[in-house]
Amino acid sequence: QDFFLEDVIEKTQYQLSKSSKWVKKNMRKDDEIPKLQGDYSEVTAKTMALLDEALINTELIEKLVGRLLVESTEKKLGAILIFVPGAYLINKLVKGLQSSSSISGHGFKILALPLHGGLPPSQQSKVFERPPPGVTKIVVATNVAETSITIDDVTCVIDTGRANEVRFDAVKGISRLQEVYVSQASCQQRRGRAGRVQPGECYKLFSRKTWNNMDRNTLPEISRSALHALVMDTKAIVQGDIFDVLGNMLTPPPRDGL
């Protein structure tokens, strides 16, 4: 089952003051609060109008986890898998969850674990282990958990919809690590991490409007990477104009990248 940002705010009754760091910077006092499609409260509509969706709201994630733990007293909750971009944010969120009043204040016990490519195998393998009775396992991961591995006790996915990708700037001639929205296809892959062996839920921390504006498929690597090595290797093997040769690929690279 899928839930979007407006559903998460409605579920948690999350509210913002105009002085909050999560509020849009360009908000004006006379801005009208847009109406939301669906059966949402005025509180949710106001929060959606104030919230800066470009930020990864760790406060909201903690409140959502706390709410899920409260509901777990009535329905079974397995492990929780949270997708965020980058090791820095993973470590920040793990520490935040461990000290969150939304969780410890209600007497819940959690085991928050990081998962990213920079961890040694011995630490990565901990995410597959079952937690002790009465403890909820929470794995905070990059997109390494999107397709590479399956944590079979996950019943809930929280997806920020972001990832860090290396993008090549053809104008400046440099590659940069950028935080970007993933594609709808990637979101579906993340969604599929929940409920592999039992029913699951996916909470998308972006609005339906943002979902509709996402790319349907992931941008091919050849369209976002530096092509120096590819061009040199191709010219060493194949005779002819490089634009014509690479232009026959299933996904031709952008001309400005060549």
Side-chain angles (χ1 to χ4, degrees), residues 8 11 22 25 42 45 55 103 109 112 141 153 163 176 178 184 216 236-237 239:
V8 172
K11 185 183 189 73
W22 308 112
K25 303 302 181 187
E42 290 185 12
L55 302 176
I103 299 171
K109 297 180 180 179
D153 58 338
R176 296 183 296 174
Q178 296 178 316
Q184 291 182 357
R216 182 167 294 181
I237 299 170
Q239 298 295 321

Side-chain angles (χ1 to χ4, degrees), residues 100-111:
S100 174
S101 59
S102 299
I103 299 171
S104 58
H106 291 86
F108 295 112
K109 297 180 180 179
I110 65 168
L111 176 63

Side-chain angles (χ1 to χ4, degrees), residues 22 47 56 66 110 116 129 168 202 216 227 237 256:
W22 308 112
T47 301
I56 294 179
I110 65 168
H116 55 81
E129 299 173 3
F168 180 66
C202 180
R216 182 167 294 181
L227 302 175
I237 299 170
D256 59 355

Side-chain angles (χ1 to χ4, degrees), residues 34-241:
K35 292 184 178 180
L36 298 175
Q37 292 185 347
D39 188 19
Y40 297 106
S41 66
E42 290 185 12
V43 171
T44 297
K46 182 179 179 181
T47 301
M48 284 293 294
L50 292 172
L51 187 67
D52 188 348
E53 202 174 332
L55 302 176
I56 294 179
N57 192 324
T58 54
E59 183 179 76
L60 179 57
I61 294 175
E62 291 172 18
K63 283 189 71 70
L64 175 57
V65 170
R67 182 60 190 169
L68 293 172
L69 290 171
V70 169
E71 293 179 351
S72 70
T73 58
E74 300 177 0
K75 63 178 182 180
K76 186 177 179 181
L77 175 68
I80 300 172
L81 175 59
I82 307 175
F83 284 98
V84 296
Y88 171 76
L89 192 55
I90 286 176
N91 294 331
K92 179 181 178 181
L93 185 54
V94 166
K95 291 178 181 177
L97 290 168
Q98 290 170 338
S99 60
S100 174
S101 59
S102 299
I103 299 171
S104 58
H106 291 86
F108 295 112
K109 297 180 180 179
I110 65 168
L111 176 63
L113 299 170
L115 179 61
H116 55 81
L119 294 174
S122 59
Q123 195 167 348
Q124 290 185 17
S125 64
K126 291 181 180 180
V127 303
F128 302 106
E129 299 173 3
R130 293 289 195 272
V135 178
T136 300
K137 181 173 67 179
I138 303 175
V139 179
V140 188
T142 60
N143 54 357
V144 69
E146 192 174 302
T147 56
S148 303
I149 62 172
T150 296
I151 306 171
D152 61 10
D153 58 338
V154 169
T155 61
C156 178
V157 166
I158 300 175
D159 183 13
T160 62
R162 317 292 177 83
N164 285 339
E165 287 186 357
V166 176
R167 297 285 179 97
F168 180 66
D169 188 331
V171 176
K172 296 181 179 180
I174 57 174
S175 295
R176 296 183 296 174
L177 187 66
Q178 296 178 316
E179 183 184 300
V180 298
Y181 275 108
V182 299
S183 65
Q184 291 182 357
S186 289
C187 287
Q188 291 300 93
Q189 286 281 0
R190 295 179 176 192
R191 174 184 184 270
R193 299 299 98 188
R196 303 294 288 181
V197 295
Q198 54 189 309
E201 296 176 335
C202 180
Y203 294 88
K204 296 175 167 66
L205 297 187
F206 45 87
S207 64
R208 285 180 173 82
K209 181 180 179 181
T210 297
W211 164 261
N212 292 331
N213 290 331
M214 284 179 168
D215 292 334
R216 182 167 294 181
N217 296 300
T218 303
L219 190 68
E221 188 173 356
I222 197 171
S223 299
R224 52 185 170 86
S225 302
L227 302 175
H228 307 86
L230 174 63
V231 169
M232 296 302 292
D233 290 343
T234 303
K235 288 184 71 68
I237 299 170
V238 182
Q239 298 295 321
D241 184 79

Side-chain angles (χ1 to χ4, degrees), residues 16-30:
L16 288 173
S17 65
K18 291 192 175 181
S19 60
S20 170
K21 66 179 180 179
W22 308 112
V23 169
K24 296 173 184 173
K25 303 302 181 187
N26 59 349
M27 283 293 296
R28 298 179 299 181
K29 292 183 179 180
D30 57 346

